[in-house]
Amino acid sequence: MKHSNLNKFETKAIRLQMSRTQQAEHSAPLFLTSSFVFDDAQQGEALFAEQLDGNIYSRFTNPNVDEFERKMAALEGMEDCLATSSGMSAIFFSMIALLKQGDHLLISRSVFGNTYKIVNEILPRYGIEASFIDVDKPQHWSSAIQSNSKMIFVETPTNPTLQLVDLQRLAKLGKEHNLLTNVDNCMATPYLQQPAEYGIDIVTHSATKFIDGQGRVLGGAIIANNKIIDSIRKFSRSTGPCLSPFNAWILSKSLETLALRMQRHCDNALLVAKYLEKHPKVNLVYYPQLASHPQYELAQWQMRAGGGLVTFELIDDNAHTLLNQLQLFSLSGNLGDTRSIATHPATTTHSKLSIQEQQLVGITPKLIRLSIGLEHIDDILADLDQAL
Ligand SMILES: *Cc1c(COP(=O)(O)O)cnc(C)c1O
């Protein structure tokens, strides 16, 4: 493959591809093979001694996984990527492979439920402690830093209230205090923001959401410089959180349409946010690209568009009634699908949080999260309208 014209996001997402085989295929084939053969015994020895680059076994490398990793690294504008079996394994390995007993981690209170669990329940068993920080009080973050702090982890925009973290400010804090900055970029995808542009060290993804975008497979990715990915890769080769070649093949094809899909998710979501903002039964709407969003200015400069999620709070306490009235929207805990989804965070995705913990991140019983799909906007709005 000649790679002379791969400047733009869309072109990289489509044209970065594994080398063509003798079959002259146009679209990359699927390599469902657990292991690979050696030309001779000496080559086998050299591959195992890591004197030679090449495939040995699909827990280490696989052509489909490699293609997906190269694309993700290119789209995030970083050197290297390790693909993983799910978003959670990406997040877990980005922590466990880089931290050790006695280290301390700072983490935003507004993170995905299982991320909270890893940090709150699992890492302490291995002697890694954490302090929680509030996304809306960045002036307090530095006071949570300890002499043994090694990493700071955030999501932006947050789920479900879509608050933003100023990535430039976060990267600066990390550099000043020698902390690795780790950003879960699942909600935005590299199409809307590339944290590396602001100096962030590590980006993690659940590729299960907008990257697949069609609700089919699980996958994850960790993207960083060569040194960081090399050390995580050493860890993962032995411990096995690898992405399956089939899922990598799906996800690599999905990336080809990421820009188109994300743009439509965002266009539809902005129209939904504007519609809800005017509705008499709606108390407030969270969407980064609404002028009423407290971080509207930051959203304008940090994100290409507002993303596919819209969260809103009803005036009356009838969230379940409203959800049951929806006909087009699916009721699911998932997000980032072609199909629009409505979720009640308080009783589903965030139900494991105590009432106090829910309040700290803005979750109330009246709150509904919408993941706006790619159906026609008229049908999406009509469904919300009849349900409200
Ligand atoms: C879904 C999600 C995850 C977990 O990803 P899986 O692929 O389900 O393991 C992590 N972070 C965020 C922000 C998510 O939405």
Side-chain angles (χ1 to χ4, degrees), residues 86-88 91 112 155 184 186-187 206 208-209 218-219 335:
S86 69
M88 285 329 302
I91 291 166
F112 189 70
E155 271 171 37
D184 181 337
C186 163
M187 295 297 167
S206 166
T208 315
K209 311 295 169 54
L218 279 92
L335 59 92

Side-chain angles (χ1 to χ4, degrees), residues 29-91:
L30 173 52
F31 285 87
L32 281 185
T33 178
S34 49
S35 60
F36 300 84
V37 290
F38 315 127
D39 290 341
D40 53 39
Q42 287 75 8
Q43 193 207 20
E45 181 180 5
L47 283 167
F48 268 81
E50 293 181 44
Q51 291 155 355
L52 203 61
D53 264 347
N55 294 313
I56 299 176
Y57 190 57
S58 284
R59 171 151 44 78
F60 308 158
T61 59
N62 172 280
N64 294 110
V65 176
D66 180 63
E67 180 182 287
F68 175 63
E69 289 174 341
R70 286 201 298 126
K71 277 196 197 183
M72 287 301 293
L75 297 180
E76 286 288 1
M78 292 170 113
E79 287 172 356
D80 203 359
C81 168
L82 176 78
T84 59
S85 55
S86 69
M88 285 329 302
S89 55
I91 291 166

Side-chain angles (χ1 to χ4, degrees), residues 275-287:
Y275 161 82
L276 290 171
E277 203 174 32
K278 292 209 188 76
H279 201 283
K281 292 195 177 160
V282 173
N283 183 31
L284 57 92
V285 181
Y286 298 99
Y287 191 68

